[in-house]
Structures are given as structure tokens and as C-alpha cells.
């Protein structure tokens, strides 16, 4: 049975559950699982032109760790373009940094900064969470997400 992660968005009533894709991306899935021994709080930044895409960053570790970029993505395999991630994809960029592709509309034909390590169980719920973040972003309100392991 797949291990799961939980995303709890500040001000949003529902938690979003995602399945870790350990068979498809074992190295980076293990990295994010290890990083989440304790829950991590991330601040969210919704892109303005990319589409249904949110960047989520936490306070990085004191010691440098690998972090992916579009020019140099994290992971061993070639990453997908943002426009090909698919709804509900969670991209791991390294060192308390993820990207959330919450909806079907993502127009950027550029490389993701890391591999897809998880996918949402309930696409409607992650879409509603993303729309909530977008609405708050337009009002200049900060939304955070608590990212944690889902045990049991």
C-alpha cells in the first residue's frame, strides 16, 4: 500500500491527501519522506501566468542541500514540462520546496524543477484548495500549508 502525505492549507476546511509515487520515483520519494519526519510548514506563491500551479517553500535546512530549478531539475530522470504534469501532481524540488499542479490548466512548456513524487487522491479537493489559494493570492493574503506524513 502506498505511503501518503497530507497537505493542510491555512484557512481551507479540507485536508488534501496525496499518494507517494515510490515505484515511479524512488529516490526523490524517499528524500521527501525523510524530510517529513516532522511536519513542515510551507508558504505558498501562486503563479500569475502559468495556470493552476503553486510553489510552496519552507525554511531550508542550515546546511546546503540539492534543490532543483527549471534549468537543472532535481532527480535522476528527465522531468516533464509543467504543461504535462497532470492535475494533482506534487513535484519535489528539494530542501523543503514543492510545486503543486492542482488543476487541468497549466500552459508552460518548460521543465519542472523536479520529478512528480506524489499525486492527489481526490482531484476535486486539490482543485478547490488551489482555487482558494489563488483567491487569497489575488487579495495579497498569505496562505501556508502544513505538509506531513499521513500515518496509518
Amino acid at each position: 500500500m502506498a505511503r501518503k502525505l497530507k497537505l493542510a492549507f491555512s484557512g481551507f476546511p479540507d485536508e488534501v491527501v496525496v499518494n507517494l509515487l515510490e515505484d515511479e520515483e524512488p529516490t526523490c520519494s524517499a528524500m521527501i519522506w525523510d524530510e517529513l519526519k516532522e511536519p513542515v510548514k510551507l508558504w505558498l506563491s501562486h503563479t500569475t501566468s502559468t495556470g493552476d500551479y503553486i510553489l510552496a517553500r519552507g525554511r531550508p535546512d542550515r546546511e546546503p542541500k540539492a534543490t532543483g530549478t527549471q534549468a537543472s531539475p532535481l532527480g535522476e530522470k528527465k522531468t516533464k514540462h509543467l504543461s504535462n504534469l497532470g492535475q494533482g501532481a506534487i513535484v519535489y524540488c528539494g530542501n523543503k520546496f514543492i510545486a503543486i499542479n492542482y488543476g487541468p490548466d497549466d500552459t508552460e512548456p518548460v521543465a519542472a524543477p523536479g520529478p512528480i513524487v506524489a499525486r492527489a487522491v481526490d482531484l476535486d479537493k486539490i482543485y478547490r484548495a488551489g482555487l482558494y489559494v489563488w483567491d487569497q493570492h489575488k487579495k495579497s493574503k498569505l496562505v501556508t500549508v502544513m505538509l506531513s506524513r499521513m500515518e496509518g
Side-chain angles (χ1 to χ4, degrees):
M1 186 167 175
R3 293 193 280 189
K4 298 178 185 300
L5 303 177
K6 178 174 58 174
L7 294 88
F9 295 84
S10 62
F12 185 71
D14 300 319
E15 293 179 336
V16 175
V17 176
V18 298
N19 287 327
L20 208 54
L21 303 176
E22 297 174 277
D23 292 338
E24 296 171 37
E25 186 53 54
T27 303
C28 289
S29 291
M31 288 171 68
I32 194 169
W33 186 261
D34 289 343
E35 193 169 86
L36 295 173
K37 289 176 183 161
E38 296 293 326
V40 174
K41 187 175 189 178
L42 309 170
W43 57 269
L44 305 179
S45 174
H46 196 296
T47 60
T48 53
S49 64
T50 301
D52 300 336
Y53 193 72
I54 300 168
L55 300 171
R57 291 184 170 96
R59 183 182 299 272
D61 291 333
R62 185 175 292 258
E63 296 301 317
K65 286 187 177 177
T67 303
T69 65
Q70 289 175 336
S72 181
L74 186 68
E76 300 164 2
K77 302 179 201 168
K78 184 176 179 182
T79 61
K80 293 186 174 191
H81 283 156
L82 300 185
S83 56
N84 294 326
L85 293 175
Q87 185 176 4
I90 305 298
V91 172
Y92 181 63
C93 315
N95 204 6
K96 299 180 183 140
F97 177 17
I98 64 169
I100 304 165
N101 198 79
Y102 67 86
D105 298 315
D106 193 333
T107 60
E108 295 291 334
V110 297
I116 299 170
V117 295
R119 192 159 303 272
V121 172
D122 183 335
L123 296 181
D124 180 61
K125 194 178 287 185
I126 198 169
Y127 187 63
R128 287 186 293 109
L131 291 177
Y132 168 78
V133 172
W134 172 240
D135 184 57
Q136 298 307 302
H137 180 81
K138 292 187 298 183
K139 298 174 187 175
S140 298
K141 306 270 186 191
L142 177 65
V143 178
T144 59
V145 66
M146 189 63 74
L147 180 63
S148 61
R149 294 177 179 181
M150 189 168 178
E151 305 288 351

